[in-house]
Each structure stands twice: as structure tokens, then as C-alpha cells.
Amino acid sequence: MSTRAGGARRRPRPVEDDPITEERRQRILTYIRGGVFDHVAAQAVGISPRTFRDWIARGEGRGQRPTTPELARFAAEVRAAKADARIAAEVRVYREQPAYWLSRAARTRDSAEGWTEPAEGEPGERSMRRVQAMSDEELARELERIVAGLVAEGLLWSPPCSRPRCRCEFHVWVEDRTR
């Protein structure tokens, strides 16, 4: 047995004697296809979430112990069952709430019209194009407006200058906007 910090002994991890029977496998996959979370489906057939996660990790080649063809097949079937559940949910939303479905499936983008209003102030291509289209004077005014707002909110300030009669451009500019 290994020990933890402080000298506490760690018990070895229990190993499932009969990892995946055909009945357990089918029930888990059926539950997942029905919309049940995978770890809950495993618990329903008597498999701990930790053991289930270990099986999936091993089946995907990510486990600490080696994979087996049976675990690789099971992990692939679980992924497929999750996809089936998602498809069923998306079809249900498509039929029962088409406006909601369109608002998620066909969002308005810079490159294409969709079924949503463009997000105001959304970062991305639209904002970049707006900045690139500004003249140097417009850009300078916009930056001045942003800095003035930050100064007014107390989010940006100028540390006191070590020279008592400093009149450098930055200190004068910030002082003028904090009065």
C-alpha cells in the first residue's frame, strides 16, 4: 500500500470482477440513447462512476492500464449512443420549437445572414473592420473617450509623479479629466 502525505495509507482501488457483461452493456447503451447521462446509466446497472470512467479512458487508450478490444468497442458504442441521444433531442427541438432551433442553428454572422440579431459590441471581424475603417483622428478621439471613461470610473489613474511641478503630457491630460 502507498502512503499519502501525513502518513495516511491509501487503499488500493477496487477492481470490478465482471466488468462488462452483455446485459450490462446493452442496458447502459439503451439508457444513454434514452437521454440518461452515461455515468448515471452505469450506476443504474451497478457500476461505479469511477469504474465507468476508467473503462472509457482505457477504451480510448487514455487509461493507466492497457486497453482491450472489448473496452475499445464499448467506448465507441458509448460515444455513438451519446450521439444518438443528442440527435433525438435536436430533432425534438426542431419539431417542437423551430424558432429556438433556428436561433441556435442559424446564427447571424459577419459572413452570413441568420435567424438572430447581430450581437451589439460583439468582438470579432465586425469590430475589427470598424476600427480599420477609422481615420487616425477618429481613432485618437475614440481612444481618448475610452481612457476618459476609465479615468472617470476610477479604473485607470496616473500615479503621482515624483517631480512636484511635472507638466508632462500624460499627467496633464489625466489631471484635466479627473477634475
Side-chain angles (χ1 to χ4, degrees), residues 17-43:
D17 290 334
D18 187 16
I20 306 176
T21 63
E22 185 60 26
E23 179 190 356
R24 278 179 160 177
R25 188 180 69 74
Q26 285 300 327
R27 285 180 58 201
I28 289 170
L29 296 173
T30 299
Y31 291 150
I32 293 171
R33 282 188 193 99
V36 176
F37 291 117
D38 57 5
H39 65 280
V40 176
Q43 279 182 305

Side-chain angles (χ1 to χ4, degrees), residues 110-123:
D110 286 338
S111 58
E113 287 295 317
W115 287 84
T116 59
E117 291 295 321
E120 198 60 40
E122 181 179 74

Side-chain angles (χ1 to χ4, degrees), residues 16 23 31 38 40 44 60 65 94 106 114 127 134 151 162 173:
E16 298 271 342
E23 179 190 356
Y31 291 150
D38 57 5
V40 176
E60 293 174 344
R65 297 185 303 170
Y94 170 77
S127 299
M134 290 180 173
V151 168
S162 59
W173 190 86

Side-chain angles (χ1 to χ4, degrees), residues 121-141:
E122 181 179 74
E125 289 180 36
R126 190 177 327 112
S127 299
M128 217 35 214
R129 280 198 301 260
R130 200 175 90 231
V131 169
Q132 289 169 340
M134 290 180 173
S135 69
D136 289 345
E137 295 79 29
E138 290 172 321
L139 184 57
R141 278 195 306 272

Side-chain angles (χ1 to χ4, degrees), residues 13 49-59 63-65:
R13 182 167 175 247
R50 183 178 180 181
T51 297
F52 178 78
R53 285 191 305 271
D54 179 58
W55 289 350
I56 298 300
R58 287 176 60 199
Q64 293 177 347
R65 297 185 303 170

Side-chain angles (χ1 to χ4, degrees), residues 90-109:
E90 289 180 11
V91 167
R92 200 166 33 258
V93 171
Y94 170 77
R95 289 183 179 149
E96 295 171 9
Q97 299 175 25
Y100 180 83
W101 183 87
L102 283 168
S103 74
R104 298 306 189 265
R107 292 182 181 272
T108 299
R109 306 253 185 255

